[in-house]
Structure formats: structure tokens, C-alpha cells
Amino acid sequence: MSRFQQQIQSAHAHLQLQGIHKRYGSVSALDTIDLEIRRGEVFGIIGRSGAGKSSLLRLLNRLESPSAGQVLIDGQDIAGFQGKQLQALRRNVAMIFQHFNLLANRTVGENVELPLRMAGVPRTQRAARVQELLQLVGLADRAGHYPAQLSGGQKQRVGIARALVLQPQILLCDEATSALDPQSTQSVLELLRDINQRLGLTIVLITHEMQVIRDLCDRVVVLEQGRVVEAGEVWQVFGNPRHPVSRILLSDAALPRKASHPGQRYIDLHYTGDRQLQPDLQAIGAALGEGVSLYSGTLEPIQGRYLGRLRLAISNSTPADVLMQRASRLADRVEWV
Ligand SMILES: Nc1ncnc2c1ncn2[C@@H]1O[C@H](COP(=O)(O)OP(=O)(O)OP(=O)(O)O)[C@@H](O)[C@H]1O
Ligand SMILES: [Mg+2]
């Protein structure tokens, strides 16, 4: 990469990790991590348990310090921050958690108010700000309730309101929807998308739920044993996962295996988003001829590109290589199964 390109890239970088290593005693949790996270993007981190995801996230607000390498925010190395600078960093980089971490003996309003108190914001300003935030997360009428009186989704909304109350530019989410039912997950995701777009917040999130990445993220990295093994736009990584671990995480185990019918052949059309192809059933029928039926498939539009695969059952006698050649025009990748 030329120096000029590097400068352009860095101009867009909100967060940079350069040559990061993180060791806990003899355990190496992160190993040679180089990453740039752009301003205003939603950046996903996935990986198996113990891969180093939380360790990486905790470096971004100095809950942890790297054993080697640098963490830069807005181009500034945060390693030496102390006193006021460290306080400002903690205000700028907020976090939400899987188990919400709300104070049970404080009301919703008091929970959201707490960071303002600790930052020394005068009482009169605090009340207005708390109300504003509760409105943003759709809980304006719950200020006097206690956490135990709320659903999981509502508790996480309070967590989000509390995280945003000091107007951070970066929000870190460690498994923020893992404890929620699917409906609450959807509503929290919508809220996160909304604040990302409305407030221009940079969001870095860890999740084990692939639909969270699919629905919310712009880019994603896959961590394995402390290293980045895959990185890219969500449509690229989901459409064509290259590393075995990514394939496991994104496994399409839901697709049924082929049934064995004598005289029947099966061909898979893979849509990876590369050529922005549309699964056109009429074109498929026309290209492959008589005796072609849709056997199974999953397709999903992600960021405007169709990703997934269609499995076709073929009962005509057209030679395999001819069918293969015709089918390869219809999809990004084609294989006999
Ligand atoms: N405070 C710590 N002290 C010692 N070892 C730690 C500490 N935190 C994490 N580790 C180790 O570092 C490695 C990475 O842990 P980390 O919590 O970052 O993984 P993770 O990807 O977040 O996993 P999970 O999906 O289970 O949350 C693991 O081997 C873990 O045991
Ligand atoms: Mg973790």
C-alpha cells in the first residue's frame, strides 16, 4: 500500500489497532492484530469461544492494555492517557453488556443519570438529559420503574440510554442481545441501527448470533486463536467464507441433505454477491431445460445482494459438463452434489 493510500485510509479510520498482542500470563489472547474501524460504521467481531473477542473490545476503552502494539482513536495512541484524558476517553467510548449491568436498587431514571452525576453535570441539566435519552430508547414512561419490573429488551434499552448519556462517539457491545428473545433482539437491533444512523455513532459489536451481523453490520472480522482469519464487507464474508472457522460459524447446516433418487442428479447454484446476480427462476429453467426442479435452498438479500444457494434436482439426460457450463452463467459458483 502506498503512503498516499495509507493516508486516505487513516483519514477515515476512527479506531486503529496496530500490531496488537495481548497476553494474560502465559496465555496469548491476541496475536498480531492489525485493524481499522471507520467512523460511523457498524463493525462486527465473530469467533468461537475463547478466540479473543472480548479481549479485543476491552482494549478499545482501556479496560485492558495491549502487551505490545498500539490502539489509536482519532489517530491518537491511547496508551499514555491519564487523568482527564483517560476520563474523556471513557466518556467517548461507551459499552453495553450481555447482562445489562443495571443497578437493581435504582430506578430506570437513576440508572441513566448515574454517569452524569459521576461526571459532575448539574442536577437541572441531568433531568432533561435523562428524559431525552429515555425518549430516544422508547422508555419515557418508565423512568420511575425498577429494573426488575422491565423485560430483558427494556433493560437493554436502559443500558443503551445509560451508555449514550454522555454523548460518546463509539459504542462497544459485548453480546448485547445474547440474553434476549428473538423479538426483543430485533427491537434492540433496530434501536442500534437507528442511533448509528441518527447520531453517526461508530459501533463495534461482538456476537454469536449471525443474524445480528447480517442485519446490522457493515464489515466483520473472524477471530480464531487471537488472530484475524477473515475480514471484509458482510456480504463478502457471508457469501463466500474462506476460512474453515468462518464456514463453521456461518454453516448452512439448515439445508437438507439430498435424497437419493435413482436417475436424479443435484446441482447447487451458489450466490456469493460478487456479481450481484439475481436468482431468476425463469432463466434457470430456460438454461437447464426440461426436468429441472427446485429441490431446496436458502437465499437472503444482504446489503442489496442475494446470498445463499439453490439446490436443483435434475432428471433430464443432458451431459453433466453441458449443464455445468450453462449453470455457471446463472450463479457465482456451481457444483454437483
Ligand atoms: N482476565 C483474564 N485472565 C486470564 N486469561 C484471560 C483473561 N481474559 C481472557 N483470558 C483468556 O484469553 C483468551 C481469550 O478470551 P476472551 O474472553 O477474549 O475470548 P472471547 O472470544 O470473548 O470468548 P467468549 O466467546 O467465550 O466470550 C481465552 O483463552 C481466555 O481464557
Ligand atoms: Mg467474550
Side-chain angles (χ1 to χ4, degrees):
M1 194 188 297
S2 74
R3 178 175 292 225
F4 180 60
Q5 276 174 317
Q6 253 169 7
Q7 278 169 352
I8 293 183
Q9 216 177 2
S10 300
H12 292 284
H14 197 177
L15 293 150
Q16 290 165 278
L17 289 100
Q18 299 179 339
I20 292 287
H21 290 259
K22 177 67 188 170
R23 279 181 289 276
Y24 301 101
S26 60
V27 176
S28 170
L30 295 171
D31 181 2
T32 329
I33 302 279
D34 289 288
L35 271 185
E36 290 205 347
I37 299 175
R38 298 172 192 145
R39 185 176 303 282
E41 81 173 325
V42 185
F43 191 87
I45 302 170
I46 58 176
R48 297 192 286 187
S49 190
K53 305 180 296 295
S54 298
S55 300
L56 195 160
L57 209 65
R58 290 198 299 260
L59 294 174
L60 303 178
N61 60 358
R62 274 262 317 261
L63 274 182
E64 298 277 3
S65 295
S67 310
Q70 296 184 312
V71 179
L72 282 75
I73 299 184
D74 288 317
Q76 262 197 306
D77 186 348
I78 65 172
F81 283 11
Q82 285 186 342
K84 285 226 155 67
Q85 259 187 322
L86 189 57
Q87 266 177 17
L89 171 78
R90 295 264 158 79
R91 288 173 70 147
N92 190 33
V93 188
M95 194 160 181
I96 57 173
F97 308 89
Q98 179 173 2
H99 296 295
F100 325 122
N101 295 13
L102 302 179
L103 297 176
N105 57 354
R106 302 283 181 98
T107 63
V108 164
E110 287 166 348
N111 266 282
V112 176
E113 188 188 11
L114 204 62
L116 294 169
R117 267 176 193 270
M118 298 194 347
V121 176
R123 177 189 292 272
T124 45
Q125 290 173 28
R126 292 202 305 255
R129 182 80 185 130
V130 168
Q131 199 51 30
E132 192 184 327
L133 261 300
L134 287 179
Q135 206 127 26
L136 178 78
V137 302
L139 290 175
D141 54 342
R142 302 294 165 107
H145 285 59
Y146 285 88
Q149 298 170 297
L150 303 180
S151 71
Q154 289 169 332
K155 284 181 202 163
Q156 193 56 290
R157 284 167 181 276
V158 178
I160 292 170
R162 184 186 53 188
L164 298 182
V165 79
L166 293 175
Q167 298 180 295
Q169 293 184 4
I170 298 164
L171 180 65
L172 310 178
C173 313
D174 196 345
E175 298 282 356
T177 56
S178 299
L180 304 179
D181 63 74
Q183 217 178 344
S184 306
T185 295
Q186 274 315 316
S187 82
V188 167
L189 293 183
E190 273 163 34
L191 176 60
L192 289 174
R193 189 179 306 117
D194 185 52
I195 59 180
N196 164 250
Q197 286 170 359
R198 259 208 284 169
L199 310 177
L201 219 66
T202 302
I203 298 181
V204 187
L205 68 86
I206 294 173
T207 184
H208 285 287
E209 301 164 293
M210 295 307 123
Q211 102 271 5
V212 171
I213 301 287
R214 189 193 63 200
D215 292 348
L216 198 60
C217 292
D218 299 302
R219 293 190 302 150
V220 63
V221 292
V222 183
L223 283 189
E224 170 69 359
Q225 295 187 337
R227 290 168 179 262
V228 173
V229 295
E230 190 144 4
E233 302 277 327
V234 169
W235 68 265
Q236 284 172 325
V237 174
F238 274 49
N240 199 3
R242 289 162 204 277
H243 193 274
V245 169
S246 321
R247 295 204 176 140
I248 293 168
L249 293 171
L250 300 169
S251 86
D252 52 3
L255 273 180
R257 299 259 160 259
K258 63 173 177 172
S260 50
H261 274 296
Q264 189 117 305
R265 296 174 293 169
Y266 297 88
I267 195 167
D268 276 352
L269 307 188
H270 293 269
Y271 296 85
T272 60
D274 289 313
R275 290 189 279 158
Q276 305 203 30
L277 295 170
Q278 302 268 332
D280 181 342
L281 291 179
Q282 211 166 358
I284 292 169
L288 304 183
E290 303 266 301
V292 174
S293 60
L294 183 57
Y295 177 71
S296 69
T298 50
L299 276 176
E300 204 116 33
I302 299 181
Q303 296 175 320
R305 297 164 194 258
Y306 277 94
L307 305 183
R309 72 172 173 184
L310 296 180
R311 179 163 294 174
L312 306 174
I314 297 180
S315 55
N316 63 34
S317 56
T318 311
D321 57 334
V322 174
L323 283 174
M324 193 70 175
Q325 198 186 7
R326 291 180 186 165
S328 62
R329 278 180 241 130
L330 303 165
D332 292 296
R333 191 157 55 81
V334 182
E335 63 185 353
W336 289 103
V337 283

